[in-house]
Amino acid sequence: QAHQQQQQAQQQQQAQQQQQAQAAAQQAQPPHQEFDHAISYVTNIKQRFADEPETYKAFLDILHAYQRDQSKPKEQQKGIHEVLDKVSKLFADHPDLLKEFTYFLPDAVQGQAKERLDRAARESVERNKQRAMAGGGRRGGAVASGRGRAPDGGGD
């Protein structure tokens, strides 16, 4: 009973966080098509990390922090580099998520972000290949299915 209530509370919290992420995505990219893509991306992350809600929550926290940072005066903003570093570490073993993240960012930084995230995605693909070769394909379960992160937290 208590476990069920905890699960329900966690699901409600995740739904609320997803709504907040959707609101952040809508503010960042007002055109309808880009908004739909952003929603699809957030949903994909939620589903992929269903067994790791802390990863999904960490992603939402990164988005919220970036959104809050953008409301500060320009000279007080931390900038896009910190966001890219955090997302690159969080999704270190998920090159597809790294490449798609640029949809959350303003047009002014997309070129810079795309370059940084594409590099991180290439590194991720290479790490995944090396793991598959080193493990003879046996360790590929979590990575090959698109679930989970490296035991080292992807460099956190």
Side-chain angles (χ1 to χ4, degrees):
Q1 186 78 24
H3 181 68
Q4 237 178 359
Q5 288 174 339
Q6 184 181 14
Q7 280 184 324
Q8 287 176 338
Q10 194 173 35
Q11 287 172 347
Q12 288 174 342
Q13 182 183 14
Q14 286 179 345
Q16 184 180 25
Q17 289 171 338
Q18 187 170 10
Q19 288 173 344
Q20 290 171 345
Q22 290 169 351
Q26 187 175 23
Q27 287 178 358
Q29 301 289 343
H32 186 64
Q33 185 177 14
E34 291 174 359
F35 176 72
D36 288 346
H37 186 269
I39 298 304
S40 173
Y41 180 71
V42 171
T43 301
N44 183 18
I45 291 169
K46 183 177 182 179
Q47 291 170 350
R48 185 170 304 184
F49 296 104
D51 295 336
E52 297 178 54
E54 67 282 356
T55 301
Y56 175 68
K57 184 181 181 321
F59 172 70
L60 295 179
D61 289 345
I62 292 168
L63 286 182
H64 296 147
Y66 178 69
Q67 184 181 20
R68 284 189 305 270
D69 192 55
Q70 294 304 296
S71 66
K72 294 179 182 176
K74 195 82 165 160
E75 63 276 0
Q76 293 178 9
Q77 291 179 7
K78 294 177 183 170
I80 194 65
H81 295 290
E82 184 175 320
V83 173
L84 297 177
D85 287 344
K86 288 179 179 180
V87 169
S88 295
K89 288 176 183 175
L90 187 65
F91 297 150
D93 293 327
H94 303 275
D96 59 321
L97 299 180
L98 290 169
K99 288 180 180 180
E100 286 188 63
F101 181 68
T102 55
Y103 285 96
F104 278 97
L105 304 173
D107 291 340
V109 297
Q110 287 220 1
Q112 175 187 1
K114 184 173 177 8
E115 180 182 325
R116 168 71 171 93
L117 293 171
D118 282 351
R119 182 173 16 122
R122 285 191 304 273
E123 292 168 0
S124 174
V125 168
E126 190 58 36
R127 273 193 311 276
N128 289 344
K129 284 180 186 176
Q130 289 173 355
R131 281 191 194 114
M133 289 173 54
R138 291 173 295 154
R139 284 194 60 209
V143 174
S145 70
R147 292 190 180 274
R149 295 188 306 167
D152 66 359
D156 285 341

